[in-house]
Amino acid sequence: MARVLFINAGSEGHINPTIGVVQELISRGEEVVYFCVEAFRERMEKTGAAVRTLDGQKFIQAFISGGRSHMLERINGLLHTADVVIPSVLEQIQGEQFDYIIHDSMFGCGRMLAELLKLPAVSSCTTFAQSESSFNSMLERAEIPTPIYDQFNSLIEAVSGKYNVKRPSPYEVFCNPAPLTIVYTTKAFQPDGAAFDAAYKFVGPSIAPRPAQTTFDIAAIEGKSIIYISLGTVFNMAVDFYKLCMEALGGTEHTVVMSVGTRTPIADLGDLPSNFIVSGYVPQTEVLQNAKLFITHGGMNSAYEGLFYGVPLIVLPLSADQPLIARQVASIGAGIQLQMQSLTANELREAVEQVLSDASIKPAVAAIRESLLASGGYRQAVEEIFEYKRQSGI
């Protein structure tokens, strides 16, 4: 049995793919100490991990203090989080020994902690992977003001001096590369998949059963023509969009399940069409197993869960890597992309009819589903981790 330090300060999309990995590690005898924000404590404790928490508010404040307009500002924000994450982790594990570390590829200063603790490292990549050459090319093309570069150099100097780590590059801060990187997609779906060497293991989506957090009646939708609508857990305060969906699909032959998040009062939506079921929380994977169409923002988790259960997608990307995911979905013929900013009720209604009637979409979805099922998911992730352990003499 080995002791594993797992660092993950990210959001829901960064947490959920690790649930099955942690459960599988524990079932195979590993002891896992998992760092996350308080909001995910209960979820991760149910895996059997020992959960320790980071100050989520301080983390977010530090991250956004770097700025949001340029990629390098986001990197500066991640450097600001070092003073939130590193001292807290070091204090809470004082006197403990670990055999290796698994860290999120984007949040949590994982690479620096691995260096500080002198631990073999695994990176958990819940977005598309990014090669160093493509990342550096992207930065070079960006018109980044000199003061932002100056701030980066100042922060790097401060962090490397304070924590006695090598000066990391922008790529190392943002992508946290490790000798082994687990990527929760397939190489075929990964943009420029051939650019990645054997250090990157593409295991497909990590979809594990999650404890129900709702009284949602799944039996009430079984056997019906279900369209599922969700904008995820971050960008879901979208009353105008939800009203547009009701205008577009109200009164149709479909039963529409719409998840609006806990921050949108359902009363703000007005009178609900009789064919709509609206809830603040919906058990997504269970609903998807009954759905014929998923209207989504295109977060990595949501897109993969839809495709994993053989559901075509209409993707309305909002932020981050969602436009890239939307393009990939469209390029393989598993759905279409729309633009939220210009969307009308007529356009959405026509898109729904197009996706449901297009004879080419169903086999395309079936093909990607087959490849996702064959990729192994969280079980394959743990196989790769154990192989890395053997190679590292752990």
Side-chain angles (χ1 to χ4, degrees):
M1 180 182 76
R3 293 196 82 223
V4 188
L5 178 61
F6 207 126
I7 309 293
N8 194 353
S11 61
E12 189 126 1
H14 292 257
I15 294 288
N16 283 341
T18 70
I19 291 173
V21 174
V22 172
Q23 289 173 336
E24 186 73 8
L25 285 169
I26 291 171
S27 75
R28 295 181 62 167
E30 307 288 77
E31 179 184 350
V32 180
V33 174
Y34 196 107
F35 275 83
C36 59
V37 299
E38 184 65 36
F40 301 116
R41 174 193 287 276
E42 182 179 359
R43 191 176 311 182
M44 295 313 303
E45 283 181 338
K46 287 178 179 177
T47 67
V51 175
R52 316 240 175 115
T53 59
L54 302 164
D55 190 317
Q57 286 300 314
K58 287 183 178 178
F59 183 91
I60 291 295
Q61 289 168 5
F63 180 47
I64 64 177
S65 70
R68 309 289 290 167
S69 299
H70 298 278
M71 173 62 77
L72 195 60
E73 287 185 305
R74 298 184 182 213
I75 292 168
N76 289 343
L78 290 171
L79 286 168
H80 280 299
T81 68
D83 285 339
V84 177
V85 175
I86 294 176
S88 179
V89 171
L90 295 181
E91 179 183 357
Q92 293 186 64
I93 66 169
Q94 188 172 7
E96 297 183 58
Q97 298 296 319
F98 294 90
D99 296 290
Y100 60 100
I101 183 173
I102 304 174
H103 57 74
D104 187 73
S105 67
M106 192 173 294
F107 296 107
C109 310
R111 191 175 184 278
M112 285 188 275
L113 277 165
E115 183 180 345
L116 269 168
L117 298 169
K118 297 179 171 58
L119 290 174
V122 177
S123 185
S124 171
C125 183
T126 59
T127 62
F128 286 132
Q130 192 154 22
S131 68
E132 186 169 10
S133 60
S134 68
F135 183 89
N136 290 339
S137 295
M138 177 185 63
L139 275 187
E140 289 169 5
R141 291 193 302 269
E143 296 181 1
I144 301 174
T146 300
I148 298 175
Y149 272 110
D150 291 342
Q151 185 186 34
F152 170 77
N153 288 324
S154 176
L155 286 167
I156 283 292
E157 188 73 27
V159 168
S160 59
K162 184 172 184 177
Y163 298 112
N164 193 29
V165 295
K166 292 180 290 187
R167 290 172 59 95
S169 67
Y171 173 74
E172 289 168 332
V173 174
F174 194 76
C175 295
N176 283 273
L180 170 63
T181 295
I182 301 295
V183 191
Y184 304 103
T185 184
T186 62
K187 203 163 189 177
F189 197 69
Q190 163 73 43
D192 198 21
F196 296 91
D197 62 22
Y200 292 82
K201 302 299 183 182
F202 295 88
V203 302
S206 173
I207 300 174
R210 296 198 287 269
Q213 301 177 36
T214 180
T215 56
F216 189 93
D217 185 6
I218 290 293
I221 67 171
E222 290 176 344
K224 296 183 177 179
S225 174
I226 302 299
I227 294 175
Y228 175 48
I229 301 170
S230 173
L231 296 181
T233 59
V234 178
F235 302 103
N236 57 16
M237 295 180 67
V239 170
D240 289 344
F241 170 71
Y242 299 136
K243 288 182 177 179
L244 184 148
C245 290
M246 294 192 299
E247 180 185 350
L249 300 173
T252 64
E253 70 275 18
H254 309 293
T255 297
V256 181
V257 178
M258 189 161 70
S259 176
V260 300
T262 57
R263 297 174 296 171
T264 299
I266 295 176
D268 289 357
L269 303 181
D271 294 334
L272 304 180
S274 60
N275 63 319
F276 268 64
I277 300 171
V278 181
S279 177
Y281 178 86
V282 169
Q284 181 159 293
T285 55
E286 294 179 63
V287 171
L288 285 170
Q289 291 175 64
N290 293 274
K292 64 191 306 181
L293 174 64
F294 184 14
I295 300 172
T296 172
H297 65 307
M300 186 72 85
N301 276 4
S302 291
Y304 278 133
E305 287 177 350
L307 296 174
F308 186 85
Y309 289 111
V311 184
L313 310 179
I314 292 177
V315 187
L316 295 138
L318 299 174
S319 180
D321 58 355
Q322 294 160 19
L324 182 55
I325 293 167
R327 288 196 296 272
Q328 291 294 96
V329 168
S331 72
I332 63 171
I336 61 175
Q337 175 180 353
L338 299 177
Q339 297 303 318
M340 178 72 82
Q341 294 81 0
S342 58
L343 187 67
T344 66
N346 282 338
E347 184 184 10
L348 180 60
R349 187 183 306 111
E350 290 172 0
V352 168
E353 292 172 358
Q354 175 188 339
V355 173
L356 293 179
S357 62
D358 189 334
S360 68
I361 288 180
K362 189 172 182 179
V365 173
I368 187 64
R369 179 175 189 266
E370 184 177 348
S371 73
L372 296 179
L373 289 170
S375 60
Y378 61 86
R379 292 187 179 90
Q380 185 61 34
V382 173
E383 285 296 328
E384 301 293 355
I385 291 168
F386 273 60
E387 177 58 29
Y388 174 61
K389 282 178 60 181
R390 286 188 284 271
Q391 293 174 2
S392 302
I394 300 172

